[in-house]
Amino acid sequence: MAQSLSGKIFVVDDNIDTDQIIPAEYLTLVPSKPDEYEKLGSYALCGLPDRYGKFISPGEMKTHYPIIVAGENFGCGSSREHAPIALGASGVQAVVSQSYARIFFRNCSATGELYPWESVDRLCELFETGQEVTIDFEENQLTNHTLGKTYQLKSLGEVKPVIDAGGLFAYARQTGMISQKHGL
C-alpha cells in the first residue's frame, strides 16, 4: 500500500484522449502476455502532439516520469482499458488531473494500474515537465520540490484500496467478495 510517491512529472494540458494515450493501432497487443504488456507500455502517450516532447526516450521501453500532471478531462474519448494499462506498463504510477473522463477513472481502479488523483488547483499551468514532486497519500497533498510549494489534492476515497490491491478482481478476492483462485 503506497503512502507516498516521488519522481519527475510529465505535464500535459486539457482533453488528453485515449487515442493520444495509446493509439488504436496498438490495441492488438494483449496486456496479459508479459512481453506484449511491456511493448504496450513503450507506446504510451505516443499519440501526443510534438509540443509535449517525448514521454519515452527513443530506444527505451519505460518512461522517466512516474507521475503525469494534466488539465481537465484526462482520458476522454474511447472506452478502452488499454489506456491506463499502457500508462502503468510504461512506469506511470499516478496521474494528477483537474478532472477525468468517467470511464478512464473507472478503468484506473478496475485495472489497478495507477492512482487517478484530482487536483484542486490547475497545476498543469504552474508545473513543467521534469520537475520533482512528492504525493503524500495520507495528507492528500502534492509537493513540487522544484517550486517549493505544496498543493491540495482531492481524496482517492474508496478507489485507493482497490488500486492498492491490484484492481477490482484482486480487491474482490482480498475482501472475500469472490473466492480465491485455486491451482495458480
Side-chain angles (χ1 to χ4, degrees), residues 139-184:
E139 298 296 323
N140 299 320
Q141 294 178 338
L142 182 146
T143 300
N144 185 316
H145 302 291
T146 307
L147 299 177
K149 294 184 178 180
T150 298
Y151 302 87
Q152 196 63 42
L153 301 174
K154 296 178 183 176
S155 173
L156 288 172
E158 295 178 9
V159 170
K160 185 181 181 301
V162 176
I163 296 169
D164 285 344
L168 195 55
F169 285 105
Y171 177 76
R173 284 185 190 93
Q174 188 179 78
T175 59
M177 292 178 184
I178 59 176
S179 63
Q180 296 289 325
K181 290 182 183 180
H182 297 287
L184 295 179

Side-chain angles (χ1 to χ4, degrees), residues 42-63:
S42 74
Y43 295 118
L45 293 178
C46 73
L48 285 176
D50 291 340
R51 66 186 166 96
Y52 291 111
K54 294 289 183 200
F55 179 65
I56 297 178
S57 300
E60 295 193 17
M61 299 291 281
K62 300 277 186 188
T63 186

